[in-house]
Amino acid sequence: MRLTVNGGPVERELPREATLLHLLRNDLQLNGPKYGCGLGQCGACMVLIDGVAARACVIPARGVEGRSITTLEGLGDAARPHPVQQAFIDCQAAQCGYCLNGMIVATVALLARTPAPSDDDARAALSHNLCRCGTHVEILAAVQRAAVLMAAARLASVPPSPSPSPAPAATA
Ligand code: FES
Ligand code: FES
């Protein structure tokens, strides 16, 4: 099967029962997505499939033939974190950190469709991502901080408008 992972082509032969999470973690050593429940219930394994957040533990690897997968590693790294990753660091939103992959991926998907979410929007978007440590207050703060950082990044990427042409010199 062929697919794109974090912008690069991947080709693998996999057993029929292999999940997308198996492919990412076991074959490609992408350990950002975590194995939590394995039942599609906790959100620890989330990735983006063509930009949409999905639970990799319950998706057959063969079901994503030809699709584009983005994992936590594909968003950014320690040297150049994605604004959402930076926001979660700024807000110290991790305790054990196991849920953060899913929280960050779900937040990236949320901000793509709702750039300025309310706390209720964030609660709804993350309601099926479980955090057993209970850092929910910091996570909600991180979502709001991420929205601010994303807006700033968008502004910084807008090319400056051309300066107006000088007015023609007045003639007598
Ligand atoms: S490990 Fe996939 S939802 Fe829990
Ligand atoms: S920080 Fe530990 S599960 Fe969320």
Side-chain angles (χ1 to χ4, degrees), residues 21 34-46 55-58:
L21 186 60
K34 299 288 183 281
Y35 187 95
C37 63
L39 299 169
Q41 294 180 356
C42 74
C45 62
M46 284 185 113
R55 291 160 197 252
C57 70
V58 290

Side-chain angles (χ1 to χ4, degrees), residues 31-37 41-47 55 72 84 88 92-107 126 128-140 142:
N31 295 321
K34 299 288 183 281
Y35 187 95
C37 63
Q41 294 180 356
C42 74
C45 62
M46 284 185 113
V47 297
R55 291 160 197 252
L72 190 69
V84 176
F88 274 71
Q92 292 287 289
Q95 201 169 117
C96 79
Y98 208 79
C99 67
L100 281 205
N101 170 71
M103 295 292 184
I104 288 171
V105 168
T107 300
L126 301 178
H128 297 293
N129 286 72
L130 305 184
C131 174
R132 64 184 175 178
C133 297
T135 64
H136 302 87
V137 171
E138 290 80 5
I139 288 168
L140 287 175

